[in-house]
Amino acid sequence: MQRISKEFAGRGVDFWLVYPDPAATPQGIRDHVAQYSFPGTVLRDPHHQLVKMARAKIAPEAAVFDQAGHLVYHGRIDDQWLNPGRARPAAQTHDLEDAISAVLAGRPPAQAETHAVGCWLADVQ
């Protein structure tokens, strides 16, 4: 995420890191962000307002909204993880970057949805 954030710096792209777990504490969130040096604005979403807007069901899952606020992509960041215990040495497809690039170019992303790999958000319906 650091690399993607740097790639789109200064191009009007905002990155939000959303914590949907109602049990997540502010200190726990700060520690997690510091441990992984996550870029962007950190938001707590215990009532799942943003989760619903993004149609997120798995963590981590990315969402891209256009300038009008329409959800144009949601799913995986890239294809490095094949399942929760198995990863490629490096990603071959960069879905989130491709979606952001498409929106910045005034086009819809080639794929509006991909399957994210991670942990199900247990309390999201």
Side-chain angles (χ1 to χ4, degrees):
M1 290 305 302
Q2 293 172 14
R3 183 185 58 74
I4 295 171
S5 176
K6 287 177 186 173
E7 178 182 340
F8 293 105
R11 296 180 62 192
V13 176
D14 294 324
F15 287 88
W16 296 357
L17 185 62
V18 178
Y19 285 83
D21 184 352
T25 65
Q27 186 60 51
I29 292 170
R30 281 191 295 274
D31 291 347
H32 188 244
V33 170
Q35 179 181 0
Y36 293 99
S37 301
F38 286 125
T41 301
V42 176
L43 301 170
R44 202 166 164 264
D45 187 27
H47 301 293
H48 302 145
Q49 294 169 324
L50 296 171
V51 167
K52 289 174 187 169
M53 287 175 57
R55 297 186 357 208
K57 302 267 191 265
I58 294 175
E61 188 166 0
V64 176
F65 294 87
D66 64 14
Q67 287 183 323
H70 299 113
L71 177 65
V72 296
Y73 171 78
H74 74 99
R76 65 189 183 191
I77 296 166
D78 58 38
D79 69 348
Q80 184 169 7
W81 288 93
L82 302 170
N83 59 50
R86 189 169 161 234
R88 291 182 169 96
Q92 297 173 354
T93 304
H94 302 278
D95 306 281
L96 177 57
E97 288 175 76
D98 294 346
I100 295 169
S101 293
V103 169
L104 289 175
R107 299 185 322 266
Q111 291 187 45
E113 182 176 355
T114 59
H115 177 71
V117 174
C119 299
W120 287 95
L121 300 176
D123 57 345
V124 173
Q125 300 174 356

